[in-house]
Amino acid sequence: GTVFCAKATNVVRLGLSRSTFRLPQDYKAPVIMIGPGTGIAPMLGFLQAREKAKADGAELGPCMVFFGCRAENDFLHSKRMRNWADTGVITDLQLAFSRLPDRPKEYVQHVVARRRDAVWEILSDPSCHYYICGDSQMAEDVFDELKATAKQAGGLDHLGSVEFFRKMKKERRFQSDTWGVKKAENLKKMAEKKYNQGEEWLKNFEEEKKEGIGE
């Protein structure tokens, strides 16, 4: 094969940052993990740590895990995760399959919406830690459902829900590791939408200006 090397004059920018994406020290603290597809990778490490702690005699708190993939044959860690669910390492395993025959597409955000009361029971605990890993758009969609959950299941108003999640983030109990760029066609649609909104605003401004002159 061919090996390509950077020239001595090339500049490569690198950066290091300390990750805060880690389990709480107290294993009794409730946790919610959302990791569809390859986003489950760091969660597997978390669950292995819980398994080890349990084997060492530690008491484990509630652990709600949301995983999503296309179909059952894509569920690569099925045996391990279901075993964790059977042994109490995972206390509530929720699955979303998007390509099952004769069934509508279902993603993790849909399951979060369907399980609002159970999600809020854990999320509202002041020691709860929340983790999400995967596509950035998915994370945004899930967060929309979490805000709706805080309002519908938790009875918070808009300001209350904002403060609730702001507090979680400030206390480093709300952790995300996401990636992905909007598709080019989606960027184009967003640009067109912004342009049309601007045109409409300008049109309304001109009409109001004319009415003002007429007066």
Side-chain angles (χ1 to χ4, degrees):
T2 304
V3 177
F4 295 94
C5 298
K7 296 180 181 179
T9 54
N10 289 123
V11 177
V12 179
R13 295 184 181 275
L14 299 175
L16 296 176
S17 60
R18 295 185 62 184
S19 174
T20 57
F21 207 77
R22 62 193 65 182
L23 281 175
Q25 293 183 346
D26 184 3
Y27 283 99
K28 294 193 296 296
V31 293
I32 295 176
M33 305 180 191
I34 301 180
T38 56
I40 198 63
M43 314 303 180
L44 295 176
F46 289 170
L47 294 168
Q48 287 174 329
R50 283 175 60 89
E51 181 181 42
K52 176 65 167 57
K54 187 174 188 295
D56 291 342
E59 181 182 350
L60 302 183
C63 177
M64 194 174 198
V65 177
F66 292 83
F67 174 77
C69 58
R70 294 169 64 88
E72 186 70 38
N73 60 343
D74 288 329
F75 192 1
L76 301 180
H77 304 284
S78 171
K79 185 176 180 180
R80 177 185 289 186
M81 292 181 67
R82 286 186 165 121
N83 180 64
W84 281 332
D86 290 340
T87 57
V89 174
I90 298 174
T91 56
D92 191 348
L93 176 61
Q94 295 295 318
L95 305 174
F97 297 112
S98 61
R99 296 295 189 279
L100 292 180
D102 303 319
R103 289 183 60 180
K105 294 180 180 179
E106 185 171 61
Y107 298 100
V108 286
Q109 59 265 31
H110 301 142
V111 184
V112 170
R114 192 171 67 243
R115 299 279 294 160
R116 289 199 199 285
D117 289 340
V119 170
W120 182 249
E121 184 177 354
I122 297 178
L123 193 65
S124 59
D125 189 300
S127 61
C128 174
H129 283 66
Y130 169 84
Y131 305 91
I132 188 165
C133 183
D135 176 71
S136 57
Q137 183 59 58
M138 173 278 301
E140 289 181 16
D141 292 340
V142 170
F143 187 47
D144 286 342
E145 292 302 337
L146 290 181
K147 289 184 289 187
T149 295
K151 295 174 183 178
Q152 296 179 28
L156 302 181
D157 58 15
H158 178 70
L159 181 59
S161 66
V162 169
E163 289 299 324
F164 176 83
F165 290 109
R166 182 178 295 168
K167 185 174 185 290
M168 284 192 73
K169 291 179 180 180
K170 184 178 180 181
E171 296 174 353
R172 295 186 177 181
R173 295 186 294 108
F174 191 105
Q175 301 290 334
S176 64
D177 184 0
T178 61
W179 60 82
V181 179
K182 305 281 188 183
K183 291 183 178 179
E185 56 266 29
N186 291 339
L187 288 174
K188 183 179 179 181
K189 288 179 181 178
M190 289 172 63
E192 289 176 350
K193 182 178 179 181
K194 293 290 184 182
Y195 177 80
N196 292 335
Q197 288 176 339
E199 266 199 328
E200 188 66 24
W201 178 87
L202 184 60
K203 180 181 177 181
N204 292 336
F205 177 78
E206 291 295 339
E207 289 179 354
E208 291 175 359
K209 186 177 179 181
K210 288 178 181 179
E211 291 176 0
I213 293 175
E215 293 175 356

